[in-house]
Amino acid sequence: MQTELSNRLGVEHAVFGFTPFPAVAAAISRAGGFGVLGAVRYTAPDDLKRDLDWIEAHVGGRPYGLDVVMPAKKVEGVTEADVEAMIPDRHRRFVEDTLAEYGVPEFPEGEASGWRITGWMEQVARTQLDVAFDYPIRLLANALGSPPADVVARAHERGVLVAALAGSARHARKHKAAGIDVVVAQGYEAGGHTGEIATMVLTPEVVDAVDPLPVLAAGGIGSGRQAAAALALGAQGVWLGSVWLTTTEADLTSPGLTRKLLAAGSGDTVRSRALTGKPARQLRTAWTDAWDDPEGPGALPMPLQGLLVADAVSRIQRYEVEPLLGTPVGQIVGRMTSERSVQAVFDDLTRGFEEAVDRVNRIAGRSGT
């Protein structure tokens, strides 16, 4: 499963795996793909350094990358406290009332969640880059589109390719104009923040829009057949995220959440603003239903919503309150029916890819006779 881009990066298979788990990222690279560690949860530079050190020790010399969340436009002088002060009391009450309705316990006295969605703020992402550029990362991806121009320049000075996610051809053209090296065409089916256009339609549109830049197809992809289809549409690889959530190397910390993922069908997700304030595909739960209810206060814009619900989401996960328990995940969740190792996922991907290519070659051969 090799393309010009995979050869450029020195990977065996053109499979790019986004994950928040260092062990999964390293396993993806060891299996012949390209592991991409999500950095948004690292609010302390030392924590990111610790996990990049771990990847370096376990990746077997294979290439890997980092995914950050940075807005293209910089806002000066805004702190987390400034953002917190913008959250209305009505929304804070709504969070506590919803948690109380489902009996979600408080954290023990003196204990906090230890996790905040401050990675959505630019100054935090810049501290992540200060750490990451001391490591031999080969790709820097930005989940909110093109990163600021100085970040692109800084990456290029170090020989690091820059990728940006796009939900439309219009967004993709902006990425090309901003000097981006790789465009990830993320379709409606994908987990996390998505647009309105399905992968089958979006991928060839983006390929044509940014030619000759390489494009990765994302959204609803979890099998070799789908990877073959993506390359047939002009992509130079696939970007997978959701499928790694139920691998044995993933550390969801919640057995209940793993069970929900394994039991979910492709129709059990919803695009909701409940988690971050932007539409993000995730498991449909009583929590998403509450925020999407027109009689409720409605979600706040990013990053207010993420800061508002961070502790609540941590409490829900810690105490495994099943009706509220969820996570960002794509429609491919319907095919995630068993826990497998990352290597087993790759074995299925490559075997399915070969079978799909052989099938198409047979069809082409018959049609030519």
Side-chain angles (χ1 to χ4, degrees):
M1 204 186 303
Q2 295 181 339
T3 65
E4 182 181 345
L5 179 61
S6 66
N7 290 334
R8 182 178 180 184
L9 289 169
V11 295
E12 183 179 358
H13 304 298
V15 175
F16 294 71
F18 165 81
T19 174
F21 307 116
V24 176
I28 290 169
S29 291
R30 288 198 308 271
F34 190 94
V36 182
L37 179 66
V40 70
R41 68 193 181 106
Y42 293 98
T43 57
D46 286 347
D47 290 342
L48 178 58
K49 183 180 186 304
R50 177 201 63 217
D51 283 355
L52 288 176
D53 283 339
W54 191 95
I55 289 176
E56 275 291 301
H58 292 83
V59 80
R62 303 292 185 91
Y64 62 94
L66 191 76
D67 179 279
V68 297
V69 178
M70 296 189 75
K73 296 181 180 179
K74 186 175 182 178
V75 179
E76 298 282 359
V78 178
T79 67
E80 181 180 345
D82 296 330
V83 177
E84 287 269 15
M86 300 177 190
I87 298 174
D89 289 339
R90 180 191 179 199
H91 285 75
R92 295 186 187 279
R93 289 195 301 270
F94 183 76
V95 169
E96 290 306 318
D97 289 347
T98 304
L99 295 176
E101 179 181 353
Y102 288 90
V104 181
E106 297 273 2
F107 283 117
E109 187 175 351
E111 182 178 335
S113 69
W115 178 74
R116 305 286 286 167
I117 309 183
T118 51
W120 303 108
M121 302 178 71
E122 182 184 348
Q123 60 265 37
V124 176
R126 286 185 177 273
T127 64
Q128 295 165 350
L129 294 179
D130 290 339
V131 172
F133 283 141
D134 286 335
Y135 291 81
I137 62 171
R138 297 292 307 280
L139 179 77
L140 173 67
N142 188 39
L144 282 184
S146 303
D150 69 293
V151 172
V152 176
R154 191 177 173 192
H156 287 167
E157 289 171 0
R158 290 162 173 77
V160 177
L161 297 183
V162 180
L165 277 65
S168 71
R170 178 174 61 87
H171 292 155
R173 292 188 191 98
K174 289 183 178 179
H175 297 340
K176 183 179 181 181
I180 299 302
D181 304 293
V182 181
V183 178
V184 181
Q186 180 167 277
Y188 174 82
E189 305 95 321
H193 298 119
T194 66
E196 300 281 354
I197 305 172
T199 305
M200 181 66 75
V201 175
L202 179 66
T203 301
E205 286 187 354
V206 171
V207 168
D208 292 345
V210 301
D211 184 63
L213 291 186
V215 172
L216 301 176
I221 299 173
S223 71
R225 286 179 290 173
Q226 292 167 313
L231 268 58
L233 294 172
Q236 287 199 30
V238 290
W239 178 275
L240 278 58
S242 298
V243 72
W244 315 114
L245 290 173
T246 52
T247 56
T248 53
E249 292 89 347
D251 181 19
L252 284 179
T253 70
S254 170
L257 182 54
T258 299
R259 288 193 296 271
K260 288 190 74 170
L261 287 169
L262 295 175
S266 56
D268 292 328
T269 68
V270 62
R271 286 174 76 245
S272 171
R273 299 177 185 269
L275 185 60
T276 69
K278 290 176 68 69
R281 186 170 297 285
Q282 54 202 282
L283 282 180
R284 181 176 181 178
T285 65
W287 181 254
T288 62
D289 286 348
W291 283 104
D292 296 338
D293 188 338
E295 296 186 2
L300 296 168
M302 180 187 282
L304 300 181
Q305 182 71 12
L307 289 170
L308 170 66
V309 305
D311 282 347
V313 171
S314 294
R315 286 165 57 188
I316 291 166
Q317 292 178 347
R318 170 162 180 174
Y319 296 108
E320 295 194 280
V321 183
E322 195 276 338
L324 304 177
L325 192 59
T327 185
V329 69
Q331 292 180 331
I332 195 64
V333 70
R335 295 182 61 88
M336 295 157 48
T337 56
S338 64
E339 290 188 76
R340 300 180 293 166
S341 68
V342 168
Q343 184 63 61
V345 173
F346 262 88
D347 291 343
D348 283 349
L349 282 169
T350 54
R351 181 169 53 250
F353 179 84
E354 291 172 357
E355 291 172 351
V357 171
D358 287 345
R359 186 182 308 115
V360 172
N361 284 337
R362 289 196 302 272
I363 294 171
R366 284 197 298 271
S367 64
T369 59

